[in-house]
Amino acid sequence: MVALELRINIDLRRGAHAEVIPELRALLSVHPLREDVWATLMLALYRAGRQADALAAYREAREVLVESLGIEPGPALQALEQSVLAQSAELGLDHPSGSVAETEFAGTTIIGDTDTAPGAFLVLRDGSRVPLEGRCTVGRHPGSTIALDDPKASRHHCVIRPVAGGHLLSDLGSTNGTVVDDQLIAERSLCSNDEIRIGDTLLRYVLA
């Protein structure tokens, strides 16, 4: 499932919004309680210009969760609904310019086009610094560039990759979402001193 979701996220980043919608629907017919898949479906619908359908998907997800588990959708899914309602620029109807750089799962790396980025690093809570030399993965998976001991983080939570003039942070369909400067994001270009929150973990992006 993780590998499949990573591939679908790559399709979203290359602009294949409409193409992945039937596949996401099929996934949800088998895994109706996976909020990360519902979030990806909402994003795909929104980027395909179907805002009303994206909101309908949220209502459908809420109905499934309430009827099956007696719980409301998590904060990440609720925040995504609010972003869709507000037509947040962070969601973007068009995928970012440029090609997909790379994705990684279970030790396999697929490398595409890359861009030159200035030197930068992440500052951890204890003050230590992790240089961003190429692609940086963050999550609970022990093979991540930054492996987190945080139960609220997903195994493959997000990725930071170099682009022209800086770095691009992309959420990998995580359960609890990725927050930059108190805003839930799907993908965002980072600015120096941006604060990244993953679960209960705080990271700060600093340009060298």
Side-chain angles (χ1 to χ4, degrees):
M1 277 296 295
V2 172
L4 183 57
E5 289 172 24
L6 285 173
R7 199 269 302 154
I8 290 173
N9 272 278
I10 290 173
D11 285 341
L12 280 177
R13 286 166 58 190
R14 69 179 179 83
H17 314 132
E19 288 89 335
V20 300
I21 291 171
E23 186 173 13
L24 288 166
R25 283 290 185 187
L27 274 178
L28 286 167
S29 68
V30 181
H31 304 281
L33 302 180
R34 288 189 68 104
E35 291 189 46
D36 50 351
V37 182
W38 282 109
T40 305
L41 174 62
M42 289 174 63
L43 182 61
L45 288 165
Y46 183 82
R47 288 185 173 178
R50 297 166 58 182
Q51 182 183 11
D53 289 338
L55 294 171
Y58 174 82
R59 292 192 296 271
E60 187 179 348
R62 181 183 180 278
E63 182 178 341
V64 168
L65 292 169
V66 170
E67 288 186 356
S68 299
L69 303 176
I71 61 173
E72 292 287 332
L77 203 59
Q78 292 184 35
L80 179 57
E81 182 207 21
Q82 293 303 310
S83 294
V84 171
L85 283 168
Q87 298 183 0
S88 172
E90 291 294 336
L91 298 180
L93 283 173
D94 299 310
H95 66 293
S97 60
S99 56
V100 173
E102 32 179 0
T103 188
E104 182 181 274
F105 178 72
T108 302
T109 301
I110 304 169
I111 302 175
D113 296 337
T114 57
D115 300 280
T116 301
F121 50 87
L122 293 177
V123 181
L124 308 185
R125 181 173 292 176
D126 62 5
S128 59
R129 299 182 176 189
V130 177
L132 291 175
E133 299 173 347
R135 181 175 179 273
C136 174
T137 57
V138 185
R140 287 189 296 107
H141 191 279
S144 301
T145 309
I146 299 178
L148 302 178
D149 183 15
D150 186 335
K152 293 183 180 179
S154 295
R155 285 172 59 80
H156 301 274
H157 198 102
C158 64
V159 61
I160 301 172
R161 65 181 180 88
V163 295
H167 289 81
L168 185 71
L169 171 65
S170 302
D171 184 82
L172 295 175
S174 62
T175 300
N176 294 313
T178 301
V179 175
V180 178
D181 290 342
D182 296 324
Q183 185 173 13
L184 187 70
I185 63 97
E187 195 163 67
R188 170 166 164 165
S189 296
L190 293 172
C191 299
S192 191
N193 292 315
D194 273 351
E195 186 176 78
I196 304 166
R197 178 162 56 85
I198 299 169
D200 291 327
T201 302
L202 291 178
L203 306 170
R204 186 161 57 90
Y205 171 80
V206 179
L207 285 173

